[in-house]
Amino acid sequence: MGSFGIRDLTREFGVTARTIRHYEEIGLLSPERRGQTRVYSPADFTRLKLILRGKRLGLSLEESRQIIQMYDPAAGNRPQLERLLARLREQRDALLARRRDLDAMLRELEGAEAGCLAALEQQARAARPAASTRKRSLR
Amino acid sequence: MGSFGIRDLTREFGVTARTIRHYEEIGLLSPERRGQTRVYSPADFTRLKLILRGKRLGLSLEESRQIIQMYDPAAGNRPQLERLLARLREQRDALLARRRDLDAMLRELEGAEAGCLAALEQQARAARPAASTRKRSLR
DNA sequence: CTTTACGTTGACGTTAACGTAAACTTTGAA
DNA sequence: TTCAAAGTTTACGTTAACGTCAACGTAAAG
């Protein structure tokens, strides 16, 4: 019941079946098989969601794989947990740096927007006095 | 004076000369020439900075080109300004969406970090009583 | 005057992330 | 039963963003 065909995933996420199979080829998904056809679980569903979000953020599939691996830890021993913790913090810091870039770009865009609005205002002021002069300008 | 050789740019930004020439091939940069060699202005410098920031955010070079174009507006007429304004807002909204994705991923990573710390704590608690039992466990 | 460093222009190679086409099977509905 | 829809594998094609290599120019330093 909680299982989907490949077509369901394409509709849900707006990607092609080829894309989904590609993710399987490189080991990002591993759905079960009913006979020959793929059957996706809610877990696969979630993984795909993570992958696509990674893409929207400009991550490579390899980078997304790294991140996803950190979520099913197979709860290791002490040194493994510490390595995992270190990598989690690395990724977090990388994302925080990304967010600083993003915010900088946002501020610039908003600055440009303000400049643009000012220019439109400027045009409006230039046009308004002309309203009382329009007929004169026709002479 | 306020001009750089290609080597300066590679050192400043950590990219290869090939990369910088590539950006010129596709029209993202257009440095002047002293004879045959390229001479970069502070404006080129800034453009390159924008391009590379775009890359860090996962933008394609084409997307960066769109954004950069919005910054040197050639202060157009009324309908041009309005189109520009609309595109600025589109880009802004796209970036805001990106930031929501990014924040979601950050929250998940921090959740995983917390879980990881909890697991380490768990191990510590399991190990501490064993300290008084260690010799017994050697029997 | 030759070496060293930096510059140039082709032009072909490479990697990631799929697209696309061919040839085939399976399955539920008319 | 036949047809249409959805599935499969295999394999070659494509695009972006450079890497890499060859062959060459120029200019200051030893």
Side-chain angles (χ1 to χ4, degrees):
Chain A
M1 292 297 100
S3 67
F4 318 85
I6 199 170
R7 214 37 78 151
D8 299 325
L9 291 189
T10 70
R11 273 192 279 270
E12 179 71 23
F13 292 110
V15 299
T16 70
R18 176 67 177 93
T19 295
I20 297 179
R21 293 200 194 96
H22 177 63
Y23 295 160
E24 183 175 354
E25 285 175 11
I26 65 176
L28 274 178
L29 294 175
S30 28
E32 289 161 15
R33 301 287 181 125
R34 178 147 37 228
Q36 176 155 257
T37 89
R38 295 164 171 84
V39 179
Y40 295 89
S41 71
D44 294 321
F45 191 92
T46 302
R47 288 176 74 92
L48 182 52
K49 193 170 59 181
L50 290 178
I51 296 168
L52 295 178
R53 192 178 60 191
K55 285 204 62 182
R56 290 197 300 273
L57 291 175
L59 302 188
S60 73
L61 296 182
E62 277 313 309
E63 290 170 319
S64 285
R65 183 209 304 281
Q66 302 302 321
I67 292 186
I68 291 176
Q69 273 182 6
M70 301 196 251
Y71 290 149
D72 34 53
N77 50 24
R78 179 77 189 258
Q80 278 196 10
L81 278 172
E82 278 172 347
R83 278 203 302 275
L84 174 58
L85 185 59
R87 289 178 50 208
L88 279 168
R89 287 175 168 163
E90 269 180 51
Q91 282 292 344
R92 182 202 54 188
D93 292 348
L95 287 185
L96 285 175
R98 225 168 239 257
R99 204 169 75 149
R100 280 193 295 277
D101 275 337
L102 205 161
D103 285 342
M105 191 172 283
L106 264 173
R107 279 192 297 274
E108 288 171 8
L109 278 178
E110 281 160 4
E113 185 180 336
C116 197
L117 282 172
L120 279 171
E121 262 306 304
Q122 176 78 353
Q123 290 217 343
R125 268 195 304 278
R128 215 166 6 245
S132 63
T133 326
R134 190 152 294 161
K135 291 186 174 169
R136 256 203 303 169
S137 75
L138 282 177
R139 293 185 54 215
Chain B
M1 335 266 100
S3 67
F4 318 85
I6 199 171
R7 211 42 73 152
D8 300 324
L9 292 189
T10 70
R11 273 192 279 269
E12 179 70 22
F13 292 110
V15 298
T16 70
R18 177 65 178 95
T19 296
I20 296 179
R21 294 200 193 96
H22 177 63
Y23 294 160
E24 183 175 353
E25 285 176 12
I26 66 176
L28 273 178
L29 294 174
S30 29
E32 288 161 18
R33 301 288 182 124
R34 178 145 39 226
Q36 176 154 260
T37 87
R38 293 162 172 84
V39 179
Y40 295 88
S41 72
D44 294 320
F45 191 91
T46 302
R47 288 176 75 93
L48 183 52
K49 193 169 60 180
L50 290 178
I51 296 168
L52 295 178
R53 192 177 60 190
K55 286 205 60 181
R56 290 197 300 273
L57 292 175
L59 302 188
S60 73
L61 297 182
E62 277 313 309
E63 289 170 318
S64 285
R65 184 208 305 280
Q66 302 302 321
I67 292 186
I68 291 176
Q69 273 181 7
M70 299 195 251
Y71 290 148
D72 33 53
N77 49 24
R78 180 77 190 256
Q80 277 196 11
L81 279 172
E82 278 172 346
R83 278 202 302 276
L84 175 58
L85 186 59
R87 290 178 50 208
L88 280 168
R89 288 175 168 162
E90 269 181 51
Q91 282 292 343
R92 182 202 53 188
D93 292 349
L95 286 185
L96 286 175
R98 225 167 239 258
R99 200 169 68 161
R100 282 192 294 277
D101 275 338
L102 205 160
D103 284 342
M105 190 172 284
L106 264 173
R107 278 192 297 275
E108 288 171 8
L109 278 178
E110 280 160 4
E113 185 180 336
C116 196
L117 282 171
L120 279 170
E121 261 306 304
Q122 175 78 354
Q123 290 219 342
R125 268 195 304 280
R128 216 163 8 241
S132 62
T133 328
R134 190 155 294 161
K135 292 186 175 171
R136 261 203 300 168
S137 75
L138 283 176
R139 295 184 56 214

